[in-house]
């Protein structure tokens, strides 16, 4: 795991955008996209680079990590609408190449299998952008998710529904109880993973993910098994790490090499 310590949310956005840009500039790329607050600065930076520096997404295919069950794509809080509003509608990514699980599918289990297969058919994900739940989830793989799970239907925890109620006018009851999410096994097949975390509320989960044991109880810890995972943190999210000095030193040496 590469730990990238940043001074601010904006710098987190720039460092994560650097990793994504490096792959996008190499040619046709498949990106995995997270929604929520954590990647907002990354998307803002990618949009800026598209507008001001000619970073093109015309050869990009994108797959979101997850979707609420029961919400049609056009619902304002569906992750399909969210990712379009916050990122893809502002760059030249062809809409037909934006994939999200169909949360309103009649057979959700079959939809999950179809979605997992469609990632494979696209050649797999080159760079998977991730956020981290305060309970350690990545995607919507809540604590106790199988470390080898595939895309499937999951039950959202009360903590996640409470955290996401801010997108539903503060009403936790409006947050769907079920979702479709890429599995931990699916996420670990990405060729590169970039996790961004911000704020003190994530500090315990970051510490468990980076320095704790690999455990289904902290699903993000599965990234310890990922061959190429970067964790990009603001000072508050990094606040409980015990080896901060080592990460700083390693980062300085890495930066010198580039
Ligand atoms: C969203 C997702 C979730 C979020 C996580 C953190 O697509 O998969 O894992 O990344 O819940 O959410 P924020 O960033 O809103 O704190």
């Amino acid at each position: 795991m590469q730990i990238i310590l940043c001074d601010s949310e904006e710098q987190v956005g720039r460092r994560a955008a650097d990793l994504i840009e490096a792959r996008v500039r190499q040619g046709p790329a498949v990106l995995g996209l997270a929604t929520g607050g954590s990647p907002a600065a990354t998307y803002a930076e990618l949009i800026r680079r598209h507008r001001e520096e000619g970073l093109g997404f015309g050869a990009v295919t994108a797959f979101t990590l997850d979707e609420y069950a029961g919400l049609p794509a056009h619902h304002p809080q569906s992750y399909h609408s969210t990712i379009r509003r916050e990122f893809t509608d502002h760059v030249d990514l062809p809409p037909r190449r934006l994939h999200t699980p169909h949360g309103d599918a009649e057979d959700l289990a079959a939809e999950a299998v179809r979605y997992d297969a469609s990632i494979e058919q696209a050649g797999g994900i080159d760079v998977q952008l991730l956020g981290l739940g305060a309970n350690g989830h990545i995607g919507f793989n809540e604590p106790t998710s199988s470390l080898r799970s595939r895309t499937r239907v999951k039950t959202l925890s009360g903590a996640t529904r409470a955290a996401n109620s801010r997108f539903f006018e503060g009403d936790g009851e409006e947050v769907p109880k079920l979702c479709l999410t890429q599995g931990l096994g699916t996420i670990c097949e990405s060729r590169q993973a970039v996790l961004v975390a911000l704020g003190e509320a994530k500090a315990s989960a970051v510490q468990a993910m980076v320095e704790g044991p690999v455990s289904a109880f902290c699903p993000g810890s599965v990234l310890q098994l990922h061959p190429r995972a970067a964790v990009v943190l603001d000072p508050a999210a990094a606040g409980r790490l015990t080896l901060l000095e080592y990460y700083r030193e390693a980062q300085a040496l890495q930066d010198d090499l580039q």
Side-chain angles (χ1 to χ4, degrees):
M1 252 186 199
Q2 184 189 4
I3 311 300
I4 302 178
L5 302 169
C6 300
D7 296 333
S8 63
E9 177 174 356
E10 290 69 31
Q11 197 187 8
V12 168
R14 287 195 294 274
R15 294 298 297 251
D18 288 346
L19 297 170
I20 294 169
E21 173 170 1
R23 179 60 191 84
V24 168
R25 289 214 185 261
Q26 279 172 22
V30 181
L31 299 181
L33 302 177
T35 44
S38 310
T42 307
Y43 294 141
E45 179 63 13
L46 289 171
I47 293 166
R48 189 196 66 73
R49 292 180 191 189
H50 170 68
R51 289 181 179 154
E52 297 175 15
E53 298 170 7
L55 177 61
F57 292 85
V60 167
T61 299
F63 289 87
T64 59
L65 268 172
D66 37 28
E67 181 58 279
Y68 290 116
L71 298 193
H74 60 79
H75 187 286
Q77 293 314 328
S78 76
Y79 281 172
H80 181 86
S81 296
T82 304
I83 200 69
R84 288 192 58 170
R85 195 167 54 237
E86 296 191 351
F87 180 42
T88 60
D89 278 359
H90 306 283
V91 296
D92 57 341
L93 192 146
R96 70 177 186 289
R97 286 215 234 113
L98 168 64
H99 302 275
T100 55
H102 299 151
D104 59 350
E106 239 171 67
D107 184 341
L108 288 173
E111 170 59 11
V113 171
R114 182 201 68 77
Y115 194 69
D116 211 275
S118 65
I119 293 174
E120 214 171 301
Q121 278 153 21
I125 289 176
D126 290 305
V127 186
Q128 175 65 64
L129 183 61
L130 297 159
L132 180 69
N135 65 0
H137 73 218
I138 54 174
F140 275 142
N141 295 280
E142 300 284 31
T144 71
S145 287
S146 158
L147 298 178
R148 288 198 169 160
S149 49
R150 310 302 309 178
T151 305
R152 68 209 183 293
V153 182
K154 279 296 283 182
T155 304
L156 292 170
S157 68
T160 299
R161 291 179 68 226
N164 288 7
S165 65
R166 68 193 197 276
F167 301 116
F168 291 81
E169 294 170 358
D171 185 351
E173 281 308 305
E174 287 296 309
V175 183
K177 292 192 166 129
L178 295 175
C179 65
L180 288 163
T181 181
Q182 284 188 37
L184 295 173
T186 317
I187 290 169
C188 280
E189 282 169 10
S190 59
R191 285 180 273 280
Q192 185 177 7
V194 178
L195 183 143
V196 288
L198 304 167
E200 203 184 340
K202 302 294 174 71
S204 294
V206 167
Q207 200 273 335
M209 172 181 72
V210 175
E211 297 179 340
V214 175
S215 159
F217 204 65
C218 176
S221 67
V222 78
L223 294 179
Q224 294 178 29
L225 300 174
H226 194 290
R228 196 171 172 205
V231 176
V232 193
L233 304 169
D234 75 354
R240 289 191 184 216
L241 291 172
T242 63
L243 291 184
L244 270 179
E245 274 321 303
Y246 171 67
Y247 306 140
R248 264 196 203 103
E249 197 184 340
Q251 185 177 336
L253 288 169
Q254 285 281 342
D255 288 349
D256 280 353
L257 284 177
Q258 280 158 17

